[in-house]
Amino acid sequence: SQDRLTVPADRVPALNSDFTIESFILLRSVFDDGRVRTIVSQWNQSPSQQGWSLGISGLGSRRKPRMPVLQLTSTLPNGNTATEAIFSDLQIQLDRSYYLSAAIHFAPDGKGEVTFRLKDLSNDDEPLRVTSAPHPFSSPPLAASPLVIGNSHGSDARPWDGLIDEIRLRHGLVSDGSAALTQPAISPDTVAAWLLEPSQGFLTDSVSRSPSI
């Protein structure tokens, strides 16, 4: 469904070093143009506002359609702010359940890297796919926007069309062995986790156990 859940900015844990975004998703459609269907974001799509957004590219993408992509607006080594889309070179199929994560490493010299992990949950025989792509940012975004699950903040709506079962934010870089795909328990490095199930409480951060949406 094209709904969204919003977490006020003051209730989003600070991500001031390397961090990982994890998600369990199913997508029913992509945009006909190059716009990205947003899984989770803390950004208002403005190039002057630092933030991040994880989503899936549309049919008119300059790379490939149905591709996981991380959009970052952050600080370059020279102190300027810039925006860049980091593409995974992976593709998903519509109407299938996936585990998708992006582990984001920052380096003072601007030689950072995003490692994407993607697993088709409907096919046990398909291995976990892992790709990496560079990015030029020296430090994490100083995001001031609310965190939005299933859309982006602001007037330029880019809603998800499908299901989002779980979102986790974790300090550090998740590995194949420590991913929520294989280690479903909430780990000590998890700073926030929204398990979108009635038993967990749809609006509850499972780390703090407090309503946050």
Side-chain angles (χ1 to χ4, degrees):
S1 63
Q2 294 186 350
D3 297 324
R4 71 180 187 179
L5 300 173
T6 300
V7 183
D10 61 359
R11 297 187 183 181
V12 181
L15 299 170
N16 49 19
S17 60
D18 295 350
F19 68 95
T20 299
I21 308 160
E22 294 187 290
S23 64
F24 290 84
I25 59 168
L26 180 147
L27 181 61
R28 294 197 176 100
S29 73
V30 295
F31 287 113
D32 290 335
D33 54 21
R35 286 179 298 161
V36 172
R37 290 269 190 215
T38 306
I39 300 168
V40 59
S41 66
Q42 195 180 4
W43 187 40
N44 64 0
Q45 305 291 335
S46 168
S48 63
Q49 175 75 58
Q50 295 198 7
W52 55 268
S53 179
L54 179 65
I56 306 295
S57 64
L59 292 177
S61 170
R62 56 190 170 91
R63 295 288 286 271
K64 294 178 182 177
R66 307 189 317 278
M67 178 183 290
V69 55
L70 180 73
Q71 296 167 286
L72 284 176
T73 298
S74 196
T75 305
L76 300 170
N78 63 9
N80 292 336
T81 294
T83 300
E84 183 153 321
I86 299 100
F87 290 90
S88 64
D89 283 329
L90 299 167
Q91 281 186 292
I92 71 166
Q93 300 299 316
L94 299 179
D95 297 309
R96 289 191 189 179
S97 294
Y98 287 91
Y99 165 82
L100 170 65
S101 68
I104 312 158
H105 169 61
F106 298 90
D109 61 1
K111 295 181 180 179
E113 185 175 65
V114 180
T115 300
F116 295 91
R117 289 177 171 82
L118 183 70
K119 176 67 173 74
D120 182 347
L121 300 178
S122 67
N123 184 354
D124 290 340
D125 294 330
E126 181 174 306
L128 177 69
R129 291 183 283 167
V130 182
T131 62
S132 295
H135 72 75
F137 300 110
S138 58
S139 59
L142 300 174
S145 296
L147 183 143
V148 183
I149 298 172
N151 211 327
S152 54
H153 181 64
S155 59
D156 186 15
R158 302 185 179 198
W160 186 252
D161 180 23
L163 304 175
I164 299 173
D165 289 334
E166 186 174 329
I167 297 291
R168 299 190 191 197
L169 299 179
R170 297 171 65 175
H171 283 312
L173 304 174
V174 169
S175 65
D176 292 358
S178 64
L181 176 68
T182 55
Q183 301 290 335
I186 301 293
S187 57
D189 62 1
T190 304
V191 296
W194 293 274
L195 313 180
L196 305 178
E197 303 171 355
S199 63
Q200 298 291 338
F202 286 107
L203 309 184
T204 299
D205 171 4
S206 294
V207 175
S208 67
R209 296 294 179 186
S210 62
S212 60
I213 297 175

